[in-house]
Amino acid sequence: MYKQHHKKILFTELGYKSMKNSAAKPWEWVEYDKSYDGRLSYETQANCYEAFFKTIWSQDWFGGVHIWQMRSDFGKSDGNSDFDFTPQGKPAEMVIRKGFKSEI
């Protein structure tokens, strides 16, 4: 598409849960994830974002990204969002900050 139409590709949604299996079926909500085993993993979530920035960010065809669950009204919760997609308040947030600054 990029070569044919000379238009960059925009990722309208990119997000990963804070779970060990977050790279497998990242589109599934925690509540619907049949492989949910209760294992929290901030590291896996951060690694998924790092892989994105290392492989996609500098591609000629790439035009931008919307990070899913990055919110202007974010506030540290009671822990209910620990498994959720939000990278805020987790190590993935720093990976994203570095990635946007092209430090990865």
Side-chain angles (χ1 to χ4, degrees), residues 1-3 5-11 57-64:
M1 288 299 270
Y2 167 70
K3 289 181 180 180
H5 297 287
H6 306 287
K7 301 233 184 240
K8 293 194 176 209
I9 308 295
L10 175 68
F11 285 29
W57 190 255
S58 63
Q59 297 296 316
D60 291 338
W61 52 263
F62 180 70

Side-chain angles (χ1 to χ4, degrees), residues 7-76:
K7 301 233 184 240
K8 293 194 176 209
I9 308 295
L10 175 68
F11 285 29
T12 57
E13 189 174 295
L14 178 73
Y16 300 96
K17 300 170 287 220
S18 303
M19 298 172 65
K20 291 240 183 228
N21 66 346
S22 61
K25 298 183 182 178
W27 58 87
E28 287 188 353
W29 287 95
V30 175
E31 299 88 36
Y32 304 120
D33 187 350
K34 292 173 181 44
S35 62
Y36 169 75
D37 62 8
R39 291 188 293 169
L40 179 69
S41 179
Y42 294 142
E43 180 181 14
T44 301
Q45 183 188 41
N47 288 343
C48 288
Y49 282 109
E50 187 170 345
F52 164 76
F53 283 104
K54 284 184 175 180
T55 60
I56 303 297
W57 190 255
S58 63
Q59 297 296 316
D60 291 338
W61 52 263
F62 180 70
V65 63
H66 168 79
I67 303 294
W68 181 246
Q69 295 289 322
M70 185 68 84
R71 299 177 171 211
S72 61
D73 63 348
F74 174 76
K76 194 73 172 148

